[in-house]
Amino acid sequence: MKKIFLIVLLITSSSYIIMFAQQLKIHNSKIKIQNAWARPAVKNANSALYFFIENKSRETDTLLGAQSKIAEEVEVHESFIRDNDRMGMRPAGRIAIKPNSQLEFKPGGFHVMLLGLLKDLRIGDNIEAVLLFKYAGKIKIKAMVSDIPTVKETKH
Amino acid sequence: MKRLSLLLIIILFLSCKEKFPVIEEFGNTHYNLVDQNDQKVVFPDFIKGKIVVINYIFTNCPDICPLSTNNMRLIQERIKKENIKNVQFVSISFDPKFDSPGVLRKFAGIRDLDLSNWVFLTGEKSVTDSIIKKVGVLAVPNDSTVFKNGRKIYYYVHTDRIQLIDTDVKIRKNYRGSKINIDEIIMDIKSLQ
């Protein structure tokens, strides 16, 4: 009886693992990050990272956070406007990317804050970061340091 | 003919005044500040006689202030391209406890900004607070980040503003710093010349 139970448990958990892995694979290939760029800033100061996310899958995925070795802290924030011309920032929390949709991280909106830079980010430099998604997992991105977006604006 | 010319000049003067009503003037108020090279500067005395494009920033701001600063750079480039003379650019920090002259120098340096007619200013907190109050800019510490070593930095909710000041040191127009229409301010600068 014990053996049967163990076999059933093994088969069930294996199928779950396979399903999860397949889902991960599907999402990983369906989440595209493009046109990443970061603002110039000096060591110990802060920069912001911007990019374009495209979810080509039929499932909602969620951006859980970001990592980078070039900053002491990395946080996902959004800028907000108050009373017409006052700007502020707040943590963005988890960000859902709906199926077959696009989301742009751009100046004045969502951005990844690179806090306490460990080196100068000069215009033309390239940096690396990792975006953490609920299903797609870790996606490595490369971003060019620039004072303006690296490509033309994308239509929504 | 002379009368007609005089009338036209008066009409032109009045229409310009209407287009750019005086928002605020500094009068006899003077503020002691330092620039990015740690040189003493009396504001607004040093800008008298020039048309000034000014913004208000803090360098820990990763999103909006760099956007406003980049717009200042774009205005400066257009000024050069169109050979418009007598324009001065000024950026004043409202976070002087962090934004020392050295920090401001690095902020400008990493962006390769042309400082030939652009100055970054800081000073005593009470002085910069008085200036932003005078010009109608609000900056309130809001969120913060504490690093592992205990260092704490603040983020401000602040007015996103670029201003145009005339040669008599009167504030004539306000613009959204991060979303300013470059063509509009270039036209306004020409009108004030």
Side-chain angles (χ1 to χ4, degrees), chain A residues 106-123:
Chain A
K106 60 184 179 182
F110 288 122
H111 54 277
V112 171
M113 301 242 295
L114 304 169
L115 300 159
L117 290 171
L118 301 173
K119 64 172 195 170
D120 288 356
L121 297 189
R122 297 186 177 280
I123 293 167

Side-chain angles (χ1 to χ4, degrees), chain A residues 49 66-74 114 118 127-130:
Chain A
L49 178 62
Q67 301 169 334
S68 179
K69 288 178 181 172
I70 62 155
E72 283 182 64
E73 303 282 343
V74 180
L114 304 169
L118 301 173
I127 61 164
E128 288 184 357
V130 173

Side-chain angles (χ1 to χ4, degrees), chain A residues 81-87, chain B residues 158-161 176 179:
Chain A
I81 186 163
R82 188 183 288 168
D83 301 331
N84 233 1
D85 66 350
R86 279 182 217 156
M87 300 298 294
Chain B
H158 62 93
T159 312
D160 173 26
R161 185 162 293 171
R176 274 280 301 279
K179 293 197 167 178

Side-chain angles (χ1 to χ4, degrees), chain B residues 1 5-6 18 23 33 42 49 59 61 64 68 84 87 93-94 104-105 118 126 143 156 168 182:
Chain B
M1 187 64 186
S5 304
L6 193 68
E18 202 175 287
I23 295 168
L33 298 170
V42 180
T59 66
C61 173
I64 296 301
S68 171
I84 303 167
V87 181
S93 168
F94 49 76
L104 293 177
R105 192 166 60 246
W118 191 342
S126 59
D143 203 2
Y156 289 78
D168 293 324
I182 307 290

Side-chain angles (χ1 to χ4, degrees), chain B residues 2-28:
Chain B
K2 259 186 179 178
R3 277 187 181 176
L4 189 69
S5 304
L6 193 68
L7 191 68
L8 279 171
I9 289 168
I10 290 168
I11 289 167
L12 201 70
F13 176 76
L14 289 174
S15 63
C16 184
K17 208 168 180 185
E18 202 175 287
K19 193 179 173 190
F20 300 111
V22 174
I23 295 168
E24 183 61 83
E25 49 189 302
F26 287 94
N28 284 324

Side-chain angles (χ1 to χ4, degrees), chain A residues 46 50 79 85 87 108 115, chain B residues 60 62-63 111 155 158 160-161:
Chain A
N46 308 327
Y50 307 101
S79 293
D85 66 350
M87 300 298 294
L115 300 159
Chain B
N60 274 322
D63 190 36
R111 290 171 168 78
Y155 310 112
H158 62 93
D160 173 26
R161 185 162 293 171

Side-chain angles (χ1 to χ4, degrees), chain A residues 131-144:
Chain A
L131 301 180
L132 307 169
F133 288 90
K134 187 176 178 182
Y135 297 118
K138 292 182 176 184
I139 296 182
K140 272 188 187 179
I141 61 168
K142 282 186 180 177
M144 183 178 271

